[in-house]
Amino acid sequence: MMDSKKIIPVVAGALMQADGQFMLGSRPAGKPYPGYWEFPGGKVEAGETPYQALLRELDEEMGIRVTHATPWLRRVHHYEHASVELLFYRVWAWDGEPQPHEGQSFAWQQPGQLSVQPMLPANAPILRALQLPEVLDISCVHELGRDAVLEALARRDDATWVIIREPQLDREQLAALVGEVSQIVHARGGKLIVNADPAWLKGWPVDGVHLTAARLAALSERPAHFAWVGASCHSRAELERAGELGLDYALLGHVLPTASHPQQPALGWDGLAALTAPAAPLPVFAIGGLDAANLEQARHSGAHGVARMRAAWK
C-alpha cells in the first residue's frame, strides 16, 4: 500500500507564446497514463532546486535551454500510483526547438480551446488559469465618477476583464452600473465580475463574483452559479483558504504605497514573493499602485498578473 504521507515533488513548465498559446506534451508508453496530455516536466531530484529541475527536465525531455521562466502555481494531486506536489512555471523564452526526445508528441494550444485529449487529471485547474488575463481592471467610479469610467471603457477595443468594486452604491445603483458596464465589456468578449454580496447578483449580466476577505473567511464552500470566483487576500492563510475552496484567482497586496491605504505599510515586491513562495495555490494578481508596466516584476514575484484601479481609467 502506498505511503499516503509521501508526496513527490514535481516541476512542470507551460511554454508560452506571445499570442497566449501554450504547449502540451503527450505521455509516452511505459509511464502511468500513457497517451494523456500534460505540461512537460518531471521529478525534482535530490539536491536540486525546483528551478534547476525545470531546466534539466525540459532539456532532457525536449532539448531546449530555458532562458526565462517565472514561478506560477502549486498544486497537490493524489493519483492511484503516487501523490505529487506540482510546481508550475511559465516559460517565456528558450533556445532551441522542442524535439520529442522520449517518443512523445507536442501541440500548441489556445486557452479554453483544447484540440487534444485526454488531459492528465491534475492539469484541469492549470488549464483554467491560462484563460485568465494578465491584467484585471477595477472600477473607480467613487473617485472618478460614472461618466469618466464609462467613457474610458468605451474608448478601449480589447477584451478586458473588469471588476466592479463600488461599496458606496446600494443594490439598485449597483445593478444600474453593472448593466451599463456589461454592455460595453461583453460586446468586446470581455468578462465582468462584481465585488458584492453573491445573493445580490442573481439574474444580473455578470460572469463572476469577487469576495472580500471577510466574505472569504465566512465561506464553507465556493459560491455556486458563478463561472468565475475570486477574492481579496492579504496573507498566506487567506491564499490557502481561497485555494482550498477552489477559487479561480486572488488579489494580493497592496504591493506599493497607494492613496487609498496611506496608513497601511506596503508589501513591496519581496513581501509579495514571500507570500507566494514557492508558488501560489491559485493565480494571484498583484494589486496596489500598479499598472501593466509592472507585469514583469509581478511575474518574477510569483504573480499571474496585475490588477489596476486608477491606472485603468486614464
Side-chain angles (χ1 to χ4, degrees):
M1 183 176 179
M2 184 187 70
D3 181 0
S4 61
K5 294 182 180 180
K6 184 178 181 180
I7 297 180
I8 300 170
V10 173
V11 291
L15 275 64
M16 305 297 300
Q17 291 188 335
D19 63 358
Q21 288 191 86
F22 59 93
M23 178 173 280
L24 293 174
S26 63
R27 290 180 64 81
K31 290 188 176 182
Y33 292 92
Y36 279 67
W37 291 81
E38 65 176 354
F39 294 92
K43 296 178 184 178
V44 179
E45 302 293 350
E48 282 186 321
T49 66
Y51 189 74
Q52 290 170 337
L54 178 76
L55 302 186
R56 176 185 53 76
E57 283 286 347
L58 296 193
D59 181 20
E60 293 175 356
E61 190 171 327
M62 58 176 59
I64 64 171
R65 186 174 69 87
V66 173
T67 58
H68 184 199
T70 52
W72 185 32
L73 295 172
R74 174 180 57 83
R75 302 289 302 181
V76 174
H77 192 83
H78 302 286
Y79 291 100
E80 291 181 3
H81 67 284
S83 294
V84 296
E85 181 183 52
L86 292 137
L87 294 181
F88 287 87
Y89 290 79
R90 285 181 295 179
V91 180
W92 305 103
W94 57 91
D95 291 333
E97 288 295 324
Q99 302 293 328
H101 285 187
E102 299 179 353
Q104 71 276 57
S105 298
F106 298 128
W108 290 104
Q109 301 289 291
Q110 286 282 1
Q113 301 177 31
L114 294 184
S115 63
V116 294
Q117 290 290 346
M119 285 299 306
L120 205 62
N123 290 324
I126 311 306
L127 295 168
R128 185 164 176 77
L130 285 166
Q131 297 182 51
L132 289 165
E134 293 195 316
V135 177
L136 286 175
D137 291 333
I138 300 174
S139 70
C140 200
V141 169
H142 58 288
E143 286 192 17
L144 303 178
R146 167 188 160 280
D147 291 345
V149 169
L150 291 176
E151 288 169 7
L153 189 59
R155 288 195 299 268
R156 298 175 58 173
D157 58 6
D158 57 329
T160 185
W161 287 45
V162 175
I163 298 177
I164 292 183
R165 179 191 176 277
E166 303 296 343
Q168 80 284 359
L169 300 181
D170 61 28
R171 184 176 181 180
E172 184 176 336
Q173 293 169 328
L174 183 62
L177 178 63
V178 166
E180 292 175 307
V181 173
S182 70
Q183 290 184 26
I184 301 173
V185 170
H186 288 150
R188 300 192 179 130
K191 303 290 186 185
L192 179 58
I193 298 170
V194 180
N195 185 332
D197 184 343
W200 282 17
L201 306 182
K202 185 176 181 180
W204 291 16
V206 304
D207 301 287
V209 61
H210 184 87
L211 307 170
T212 63
R215 286 196 176 105
L216 173 64
L219 285 180
S220 59
E221 59 184 7
R222 175 189 168 111
H225 312 303
F226 294 100
W228 298 92
V229 181
S232 294
C233 296
H234 308 89
S235 68
R236 183 70 189 196
E238 290 176 345
L239 279 181
E240 295 292 347
R241 181 62 178 156
E244 290 167 1
L245 292 174
L247 271 56
D248 299 299
Y249 71 88
L251 304 186
L252 183 61
H254 59 283
V255 176
L256 302 180
T258 66
S260 56
H261 299 83
Q263 306 303 321
Q264 297 179 11
L267 285 174
W269 294 113
D270 288 344
L272 178 67
L275 287 177
T276 60
L282 75 171
V284 163
F285 288 85
I287 189 172
L290 306 181
D291 197 355
N294 302 110
L295 183 56
E296 185 58 31
Q297 184 64 64
R299 289 172 178 166
H300 276 285
S301 299
H304 174 90
V306 298
R308 58 186 184 176
M309 188 167 69
R310 296 166 188 84
W313 314 109
K314 293 179 179 178

